[in-house]
Amino acid sequence: MKKIAIFDVCDTLYNVNTTFSFLNYYFKKNKNYLIFRKIIKLFPVKAINYLFYKFFGKDLIRIIGTFFLKNHNQNDITKSSSVFVRNILSKEVKEKIFFKLKYYKKQGYYIVLMSGSYDFIIREVANYFNANSYYASETQIINQLYTGRYKKDILMSKYNLFLKNFLQFEKLAVITNNKSDLKLLKLADYAYAVCNKKSDLRFWKHYSKINCIEDF
């Protein structure tokens, strides 16, 4: 693989966070989940989660949200994620980024999706966009039932994943909205930061090599 293009998914290819968008869809009639959704909107909860993410690289809200998957059947989740990607997420595609994906595909780049979202979602997304490969957070399954835990969480590991799996390349393009992907963007020949709000522009302007794609 001489030419590689890496695309983030949540808030990059789509306007939404696919993890919580799926949970909202799948548990829309679950009373406990609906209470959870109200609680995580409270400022103290958001503040604690922000500090925990900043210092430990863990998203507590995401971890707790995942626990709702416990004891749900693998086949049911797979079927629901397929419907979700085609019927719900298809309405949230960012056209500017989709055009970038099509452009790099036409230029012969190997298209890779990298996302901290659930593997069962990103697998469907990769099929939807006809990507060559994908990397996502693995959810633990025992006896075809989800445990509500992560087997492997790649939320903060994209740079190391790339170095491990792509030892040689001629050209690299990276498109992401995540500030945590800065090291990966610095490595790229063509680096694009998706700016979903004006404050993103203020952050990325300090890096002349990184091009901002405004989407607000």
Side-chain angles (χ1 to χ4, degrees), residues 1-7 109-115 133-136 152 154 156-175 181 183-190:
M1 287 170 278
K2 294 183 178 181
K3 299 189 294 184
I4 302 167
I6 296 175
F7 286 80
Y109 278 70
Y110 186 84
I111 305 298
V112 180
L113 304 185
M114 279 193 179
S115 174
S133 65
Y134 70 91
Y135 296 86
K152 183 179 181 181
I154 71 163
M156 303 290 286
S157 307
K158 294 177 189 173
Y159 177 76
N160 291 332
L161 267 175
F162 177 77
L163 294 183
K164 180 181 178 180
N165 291 281
F166 300 95
L167 298 177
Q168 296 180 340
F169 61 94
E170 182 180 294
K171 293 289 182 179
L172 174 65
V174 176
I175 299 90
D181 292 335
K183 288 176 68 176
L184 192 57
L185 285 164
K186 287 182 175 180
L187 188 65
D189 299 282
Y190 309 104

Short mmCIF file of all heavy atoms in Angstrom, two decimals, residues 1-7 109-115 133-136 152 154 156-175 181 183-190:
data_model
loop_
_atom_site.label_atom_id
_atom_site.label_comp_id
_atom_site.label_asym_id
_atom_site.label_seq_id
_atom_site.Cartn_x
_atom_site.Cartn_y
_atom_site.Cartn_z
N MET A 1 0.84 -1.20 0.00
CA MET A 1 0.00 0.00 0.00
C MET A 1 0.87 1.25 0.00
O MET A 1 1.48 1.59 1.00
CB MET A 1 -0.91 -0.02 1.23
CG MET A 1 -2.04 -1.03 1.11
SD MET A 1 -2.93 -1.24 2.65
CE MET A 1 -1.84 -2.40 3.48
N LYS A 2 0.96 1.90 -1.14
CA LYS A 2 1.81 3.07 -1.24
C LYS A 2 1.10 4.35 -0.82
O LYS A 2 1.71 5.25 -0.27
CB LYS A 2 2.33 3.20 -2.68
CG LYS A 2 3.27 2.07 -3.11
CD LYS A 2 3.81 2.31 -4.50
CE LYS A 2 4.79 1.20 -4.89
NZ LYS A 2 5.34 1.41 -6.25
N LYS A 3 -0.19 4.43 -1.11
CA LYS A 3 -0.95 5.63 -0.79
C LYS A 3 -2.13 5.28 0.12
O LYS A 3 -2.94 4.43 -0.22
CB LYS A 3 -1.45 6.31 -2.06
CG LYS A 3 -0.33 6.75 -3.01
CD LYS A 3 -0.86 7.61 -4.14
CE LYS A 3 -1.76 6.83 -5.08
NZ LYS A 3 -2.19 7.66 -6.25
N ILE A 4 -2.19 5.95 1.27
CA ILE A 4 -3.20 5.63 2.28
C ILE A 4 -3.95 6.89 2.67
O ILE A 4 -3.35 7.95 2.88
CB ILE A 4 -2.55 5.01 3.53
CG1 ILE A 4 -1.76 3.75 3.15
CG2 ILE A 4 -3.61 4.69 4.59
CD1 ILE A 4 -0.84 3.27 4.26
N ALA A 5 -5.27 6.78 2.78
CA ALA A 5 -6.10 7.89 3.27
C ALA A 5 -6.89 7.41 4.47
O ALA A 5 -7.66 6.44 4.37
CB ALA A 5 -7.05 8.38 2.17
N ILE A 6 -6.68 8.05 5.61
CA ILE A 6 -7.35 7.68 6.85
C ILE A 6 -8.45 8.69 7.15
O ILE A 6 -8.22 9.89 7.18
CB ILE A 6 -6.36 7.63 8.02
CG1 ILE A 6 -5.32 6.52 7.78
CG2 ILE A 6 -7.09 7.40 9.34
CD1 ILE A 6 -4.24 6.46 8.83
N PHE A 7 -9.64 8.17 7.40
CA PHE A 7 -10.78 9.01 7.73
C PHE A 7 -11.31 8.66 9.12
O PHE A 7 -11.57 7.48 9.41
CB PHE A 7 -11.91 8.83 6.72
CG PHE A 7 -11.67 9.47 5.39
CD1 PHE A 7 -10.86 8.85 4.45
CD2 PHE A 7 -12.23 10.70 5.08
CE1 PHE A 7 -10.62 9.45 3.21
CE2 PHE A 7 -12.01 11.31 3.85
CZ PHE A 7 -11.19 10.68 2.92
N TYR A 109 -5.93 5.73 -3.60
CA TYR A 109 -5.56 5.58 -2.20
C TYR A 109 -6.30 4.41 -1.56
O TYR A 109 -7.44 4.11 -1.91
CB TYR A 109 -5.88 6.86 -1.42
CG TYR A 109 -4.84 7.95 -1.54
CD1 TYR A 109 -4.65 8.64 -2.74
CD2 TYR A 109 -4.04 8.30 -0.45
CE1 TYR A 109 -3.70 9.64 -2.85
CE2 TYR A 109 -3.08 9.30 -0.56
CZ TYR A 109 -2.92 9.96 -1.76
OH TYR A 109 -1.98 10.95 -1.87
N TYR A 110 -5.63 3.78 -0.61
CA TYR A 110 -6.21 2.72 0.19
C TYR A 110 -7.00 3.41 1.32
O TYR A 110 -6.42 4.08 2.18
CB TYR A 110 -5.10 1.84 0.76
CG TYR A 110 -5.55 0.61 1.50
CD1 TYR A 110 -5.86 -0.56 0.84
CD2 TYR A 110 -5.62 0.62 2.90
CE1 TYR A 110 -6.24 -1.71 1.53
CE2 TYR A 110 -6.00 -0.51 3.60
CZ TYR A 110 -6.31 -1.67 2.92
OH TYR A 110 -6.69 -2.79 3.60
N ILE A 111 -8.32 3.26 1.32
CA ILE A 111 -9.18 4.00 2.24
C ILE A 111 -9.33 3.24 3.56
O ILE A 111 -9.78 2.09 3.58
CB ILE A 111 -10.57 4.26 1.63
CG1 ILE A 111 -10.44 4.97 0.28
CG2 ILE A 111 -11.44 5.05 2.61
CD1 ILE A 111 -9.80 6.34 0.35
N VAL A 112 -8.97 3.91 4.66
CA VAL A 112 -9.03 3.31 5.98
C VAL A 112 -9.91 4.17 6.89
O VAL A 112 -9.73 5.39 6.98
CB VAL A 112 -7.63 3.19 6.62
CG1 VAL A 112 -7.72 2.56 8.00
CG2 VAL A 112 -6.69 2.41 5.72
N LEU A 113 -10.87 3.54 7.56
CA LEU A 113 -11.65 4.23 8.58
C LEU A 113 -11.07 3.89 9.95
O LEU A 113 -10.83 2.72 10.25
CB LEU A 113 -13.12 3.79 8.53
CG LEU A 113 -13.87 3.96 7.21
CD1 LEU A 113 -15.34 3.59 7.39
CD2 LEU A 113 -13.73 5.37 6.67
N MET A 114 -10.84 4.92 10.76
CA MET A 114 -10.35 4.71 12.13
C MET A 114 -11.27 5.47 13.07
O MET A 114 -11.44 6.68 12.95
CB MET A 114 -8.92 5.23 12.28
CG MET A 114 -7.86 4.28 11.80
SD MET A 114 -6.21 4.79 12.36
CE MET A 114 -5.22 3.47 11.67
N SER A 115 -11.86 4.73 14.01
CA SER A 115 -12.83 5.34 14.90
C SER A 115 -12.84 4.65 16.25
O SER A 115 -12.70 3.43 16.34
CB SER A 115 -14.23 5.28 14.28
OG SER A 115 -15.21 5.74 15.19
N SER A 133 -10.50 -0.90 4.54
CA SER A 133 -10.38 -1.53 5.85
C SER A 133 -10.83 -0.55 6.93
O SER A 133 -11.06 0.64 6.65
CB SER A 133 -8.94 -1.99 6.12
OG SER A 133 -8.07 -0.87 6.20
N TYR A 134 -10.95 -1.06 8.14
CA TYR A 134 -11.37 -0.19 9.25
C TYR A 134 -10.77 -0.67 10.56
O TYR A 134 -10.39 -1.83 10.72
CB TYR A 134 -12.91 -0.17 9.37
CG TYR A 134 -13.50 -1.47 9.87
CD1 TYR A 134 -13.71 -1.69 11.24
CD2 TYR A 134 -13.85 -2.49 8.98
CE1 TYR A 134 -14.25 -2.88 11.70
CE2 TYR A 134 -14.38 -3.69 9.44
CZ TYR A 134 -14.58 -3.87 10.81
OH TYR A 134 -15.09 -5.05 11.26
N TYR A 135 -10.67 0.26 11.51
CA TYR A 135 -10.24 -0.04 12.87
C TYR A 135 -11.21 0.65 13.81
O TYR A 135 -11.53 1.83 13.64
CB TYR A 135 -8.81 0.47 13.12
CG TYR A 135 -7.78 -0.23 12.26
CD1 TYR A 135 -7.51 0.24 10.97
CD2 TYR A 135 -7.11 -1.36 12.71
CE1 TYR A 135 -6.59 -0.40 10.16
CE2 TYR A 135 -6.18 -2.02 11.90
CZ TYR A 135 -5.92 -1.52 10.63
OH TYR A 135 -5.02 -2.16 9.83
N ALA A 136 -11.71 -0.09 14.80
CA ALA A 136 -12.70 0.45 15.72
C ALA A 136 -12.54 -0.21 17.08
O ALA A 136 -11.80 -1.20 17.23
CB ALA A 136 -14.11 0.22 15.16
N LYS A 152 -11.36 -4.02 23.48
CA LYS A 152 -10.22 -3.19 23.07
C LYS A 152 -10.75 -1.82 22.68
O LYS A 152 -11.55 -1.71 21.75
CB LYS A 152 -9.48 -3.83 21.89
CG LYS A 152 -8.25 -3.06 21.46
CD LYS A 152 -7.55 -3.77 20.29
CE LYS A 152 -6.31 -3.04 19.85
NZ LYS A 152 -5.65 -3.71 18.71
N ILE A 154 -9.90 1.81 21.19
CA ILE A 154 -8.84 2.49 20.42
C ILE A 154 -9.03 4.01 20.40
O ILE A 154 -8.42 4.70 19.59
CB ILE A 154 -8.76 1.96 18.97
CG1 ILE A 154 -9.98 2.42 18.14
CG2 ILE A 154 -8.63 0.45 18.95
CD1 ILE A 154 -9.77 2.28 16.65
N MET A 156 -7.92 6.53 21.90
CA MET A 156 -6.73 7.38 21.92
C MET A 156 -5.53 6.71 21.26
O MET A 156 -4.40 7.11 21.50
CB MET A 156 -6.39 7.73 23.38
CG MET A 156 -7.50 8.41 24.15
SD MET A 156 -7.81 10.08 23.58
CE MET A 156 -6.39 10.93 24.26
N SER A 157 -5.76 5.73 20.41
CA SER A 157 -4.65 4.90 19.92
C SER A 157 -4.45 4.92 18.41
O SER A 157 -3.76 4.05 17.87
CB SER A 157 -4.87 3.44 20.37
OG SER A 157 -5.08 3.37 21.75
N LYS A 158 -5.04 5.87 17.70
CA LYS A 158 -4.97 5.83 16.24
C LYS A 158 -3.55 5.96 15.71
O LYS A 158 -3.16 5.26 14.76
CB LYS A 158 -5.85 6.93 15.65
CG LYS A 158 -7.33 6.75 15.91
CD LYS A 158 -8.11 7.92 15.35
CE LYS A 158 -9.55 7.86 15.78
NZ LYS A 158 -10.30 9.07 15.38
N TYR A 159 -2.76 6.82 16.30
CA TYR A 159 -1.38 7.02 15.85
C TYR A 159 -0.58 5.72 15.98
O TYR A 159 0.08 5.29 15.03
CB TYR A 159 -0.73 8.13 16.67
CG TYR A 159 0.73 8.39 16.33
CD1 TYR A 159 1.08 9.08 15.18
CD2 TYR A 159 1.74 7.93 17.17
CE1 TYR A 159 2.43 9.32 14.87
CE2 TYR A 159 3.07 8.16 16.88
CZ TYR A 159 3.41 8.85 15.72
OH TYR A 159 4.74 9.07 15.42
N ASN A 160 -0.67 5.08 17.15
CA ASN A 160 0.06 3.83 17.37
C ASN A 160 -0.48 2.71 16.48
O ASN A 160 0.29 1.87 16.00
CB ASN A 160 -0.03 3.42 18.84
CG ASN A 160 0.75 4.36 19.74
OD1 ASN A 160 1.72 4.96 19.32
ND2 ASN A 160 0.30 4.50 20.98
N LEU A 161 -1.79 2.70 16.26
CA LEU A 161 -2.38 1.71 15.36
C LEU A 161 -1.83 1.84 13.95
O LEU A 161 -1.52 0.84 13.29
CB LEU A 161 -3.90 1.88 15.33
CG LEU A 161 -4.74 1.04 16.28
CD1 LEU A 161 -6.20 1.45 16.16
CD2 LEU A 161 -4.57 -0.44 16.01
N PHE A 162 -1.69 3.08 13.50
CA PHE A 162 -1.18 3.30 12.16
C PHE A 162 0.27 2.81 12.04
O PHE A 162 0.62 2.11 11.09
CB PHE A 162 -1.26 4.78 11.79
CG PHE A 162 -0.67 5.08 10.45
CD1 PHE A 162 -1.37 4.80 9.29
CD2 PHE A 162 0.61 5.62 10.34
CE1 PHE A 162 -0.80 5.04 8.04
CE2 PHE A 162 1.18 5.87 9.10
CZ PHE A 162 0.46 5.59 7.95
N LEU A 163 1.10 3.19 13.01
CA LEU A 163 2.50 2.77 12.96
C LEU A 163 2.64 1.26 13.00
O LEU A 163 3.54 0.69 12.38
CB LEU A 163 3.26 3.40 14.13
CG LEU A 163 3.40 4.93 14.12
CD1 LEU A 163 4.24 5.37 15.31
CD2 LEU A 163 4.03 5.42 12.82
N LYS A 164 1.76 0.59 13.73
CA LYS A 164 1.82 -0.86 13.86
C LYS A 164 1.38 -1.58 12.60
O LYS A 164 1.96 -2.61 12.23
CB LYS A 164 0.95 -1.30 15.04
CG LYS A 164 0.92 -2.80 15.27
CD LYS A 164 0.02 -3.15 16.44
CE LYS A 164 -0.06 -4.66 16.66
NZ LYS A 164 -0.94 -5.01 17.81
N ASN A 165 0.37 -1.04 11.92
CA ASN A 165 -0.24 -1.76 10.80
C ASN A 165 0.19 -1.28 9.42
O ASN A 165 -0.05 -1.97 8.44
CB ASN A 165 -1.77 -1.66 10.91
CG ASN A 165 -2.31 -2.44 12.08
OD1 ASN A 165 -2.44 -3.66 12.02
ND2 ASN A 165 -2.61 -1.74 13.17
N PHE A 166 0.80 -0.10 9.34
CA PHE A 166 1.22 0.43 8.05
C PHE A 166 2.68 0.88 8.16
O PHE A 166 2.97 2.06 8.38
CB PHE A 166 0.32 1.59 7.63
CG PHE A 166 -1.13 1.20 7.50
CD1 PHE A 166 -2.00 1.40 8.55
CD2 PHE A 166 -1.61 0.61 6.34
CE1 PHE A 166 -3.34 1.04 8.44
CE2 PHE A 166 -2.94 0.24 6.22
CZ PHE A 166 -3.81 0.46 7.28
N LEU A 167 3.57 -0.07 8.01
CA LEU A 167 4.98 0.20 8.21
C LEU A 167 5.58 1.05 7.10
O LEU A 167 6.50 1.84 7.32
CB LEU A 167 5.76 -1.13 8.31
CG LEU A 167 5.37 -2.03 9.50
CD1 LEU A 167 6.16 -3.34 9.44
CD2 LEU A 167 5.63 -1.31 10.82
N GLN A 168 5.10 0.88 5.87
CA GLN A 168 5.64 1.62 4.74
C GLN A 168 4.51 2.27 3.94
O GLN A 168 3.49 1.63 3.71
CB GLN A 168 6.46 0.69 3.83
CG GLN A 168 7.70 0.11 4.51
CD GLN A 168 8.49 -0.78 3.56
OE1 GLN A 168 7.96 -1.27 2.56
NE2 GLN A 168 9.76 -1.00 3.87
N PHE A 169 4.74 3.49 3.55
CA PHE A 169 3.76 4.17 2.70
C PHE A 169 4.47 5.30 1.94
O PHE A 169 5.47 5.85 2.40
CB PHE A 169 2.60 4.74 3.53
CG PHE A 169 3.02 5.77 4.55
CD1 PHE A 169 2.98 7.12 4.25
CD2 PHE A 169 3.44 5.37 5.81
CE1 PHE A 169 3.36 8.07 5.18
CE2 PHE A 169 3.82 6.33 6.75
CZ PHE A 169 3.77 7.67 6.43
N GLU A 170 3.92 5.60 0.79
CA GLU A 170 4.48 6.66 -0.04
C GLU A 170 3.82 8.00 0.25
O GLU A 170 4.48 9.02 0.37
CB GLU A 170 4.30 6.29 -1.52
CG GLU A 170 4.89 7.28 -2.50
CD GLU A 170 4.66 6.84 -3.93
OE1 GLU A 170 5.20 5.79 -4.33
OE2 GLU A 170 3.91 7.53 -4.63
N LYS A 171 2.49 7.97 0.35
CA LYS A 171 1.73 9.19 0.64
C LYS A 171 0.67 8.86 1.69
O LYS A 171 0.10 7.78 1.69
CB LYS A 171 1.05 9.73 -0.62
CG LYS A 171 1.99 10.26 -1.68
CD LYS A 171 2.65 11.56 -1.24
CE LYS A 171 3.56 12.10 -2.33
NZ LYS A 171 4.20 13.39 -1.93
N LEU A 172 0.41 9.83 2.57
CA LEU A 172 -0.60 9.64 3.60
C LEU A 172 -1.49 10.88 3.69
O LEU A 172 -1.01 12.01 3.79
CB LEU A 172 0.06 9.40 4.96
CG LEU A 172 -0.88 9.34 6.16
CD1 LEU A 172 -1.81 8.12 6.06
CD2 LEU A 172 -0.08 9.27 7.47
N ALA A 173 -2.80 10.63 3.64
CA ALA A 173 -3.78 11.69 3.86
C ALA A 173 -4.58 11.34 5.12
O ALA A 173 -4.95 10.18 5.32
CB ALA A 173 -4.72 11.82 2.66
N VAL A 174 -4.82 12.34 5.97
CA VAL A 174 -5.58 12.11 7.20
C VAL A 174 -6.66 13.17 7.30
O VAL A 174 -6.39 14.37 7.17
CB VAL A 174 -4.68 12.16 8.45
CG1 VAL A 174 -5.52 12.02 9.72
CG2 VAL A 174 -3.62 11.06 8.39
N ILE A 175 -7.89 12.74 7.55
CA ILE A 175 -9.02 13.67 7.70
C ILE A 175 -9.73 13.33 9.00
O ILE A 175 -10.25 12.21 9.17
CB ILE A 175 -10.02 13.54 6.51
CG1 ILE A 175 -9.32 13.88 5.19
CG2 ILE A 175 -11.21 14.46 6.73
CD1 ILE A 175 -8.68 12.71 4.49
N ASP A 181 -5.89 13.51 17.51
CA ASP A 181 -5.23 12.90 16.35
C ASP A 181 -4.10 13.78 15.80
O ASP A 181 -3.64 13.57 14.67
CB ASP A 181 -6.25 12.65 15.23
CG ASP A 181 -7.26 11.57 15.59
OD1 ASP A 181 -6.93 10.72 16.43
OD2 ASP A 181 -8.37 11.59 15.04
N LYS A 183 -0.89 14.02 16.35
CA LYS A 183 0.35 13.33 15.95
C LYS A 183 0.17 12.65 14.60
O LYS A 183 1.10 12.65 13.78
CB LYS A 183 0.75 12.31 17.01
CG LYS A 183 1.28 12.92 18.30
CD LYS A 183 1.57 11.86 19.35
CE LYS A 183 2.73 10.99 18.96
NZ LYS A 183 3.09 10.01 20.03
N LEU A 184 -1.00 12.09 14.38
CA LEU A 184 -1.27 11.43 13.10
C LEU A 184 -1.35 12.46 11.98
O LEU A 184 -0.85 12.23 10.86
CB LEU A 184 -2.58 10.64 13.19
CG LEU A 184 -2.91 9.66 12.06
CD1 LEU A 184 -1.80 8.64 11.87
CD2 LEU A 184 -4.23 8.96 12.34
N LEU A 185 -1.96 13.60 12.25
CA LEU A 185 -2.04 14.67 11.26
C LEU A 185 -0.66 15.21 10.91
O LEU A 185 -0.39 15.52 9.74
CB LEU A 185 -2.93 15.80 11.79
CG LEU A 185 -4.44 15.53 11.79
CD1 LEU A 185 -5.16 16.53 12.68
CD2 LEU A 185 -5.00 15.58 10.37
N LYS A 186 0.20 15.33 11.87
CA LYS A 186 1.56 15.83 11.63
C LYS A 186 2.36 14.87 10.75
O LYS A 186 3.27 15.29 10.03
CB LYS A 186 2.29 16.05 12.95
CG LYS A 186 1.82 17.27 13.74
CD LYS A 186 2.63 17.44 15.01
CE LYS A 186 2.27 18.71 15.74
NZ LYS A 186 3.07 18.90 16.99
N LEU A 187 2.01 13.59 10.81
CA LEU A 187 2.71 12.59 10.02
C LEU A 187 2.26 12.60 8.56
O LEU A 187 2.98 12.15 7.68
CB LEU A 187 2.43 11.20 10.63
CG LEU A 187 3.19 10.00 10.08
CD1 LEU A 187 4.68 10.13 10.37
CD2 LEU A 187 2.64 8.72 10.71
N ALA A 188 1.07 13.16 8.30
CA ALA A 188 0.46 13.08 6.98
C ALA A 188 1.08 14.05 5.97
O ALA A 188 1.55 15.13 6.32
CB ALA A 188 -1.04 13.35 7.09
N ASP A 189 1.03 13.65 4.70
CA ASP A 189 1.41 14.55 3.61
C ASP A 189 0.28 15.54 3.34
O ASP A 189 0.53 16.68 2.97
CB ASP A 189 1.70 13.73 2.35
CG ASP A 189 2.84 12.76 2.54
OD1 ASP A 189 4.00 13.20 2.50
OD2 ASP A 189 2.57 11.55 2.74
N TYR A 190 -0.95 15.06 3.52
CA TYR A 190 -2.14 15.90 3.33
C TYR A 190 -2.99 15.77 4.58
O TYR A 190 -3.59 14.72 4.84
CB TYR A 190 -2.92 15.46 2.09
CG TYR A 190 -2.07 15.34 0.85
CD1 TYR A 190 -1.68 14.09 0.37
CD2 TYR A 190 -1.62 16.48 0.18
CE1 TYR A 190 -0.87 13.98 -0.76
CE2 TYR A 190 -0.82 16.38 -0.94
CZ TYR A 190 -0.44 15.13 -1.40
OH TYR A 190 0.36 15.02 -2.51
#
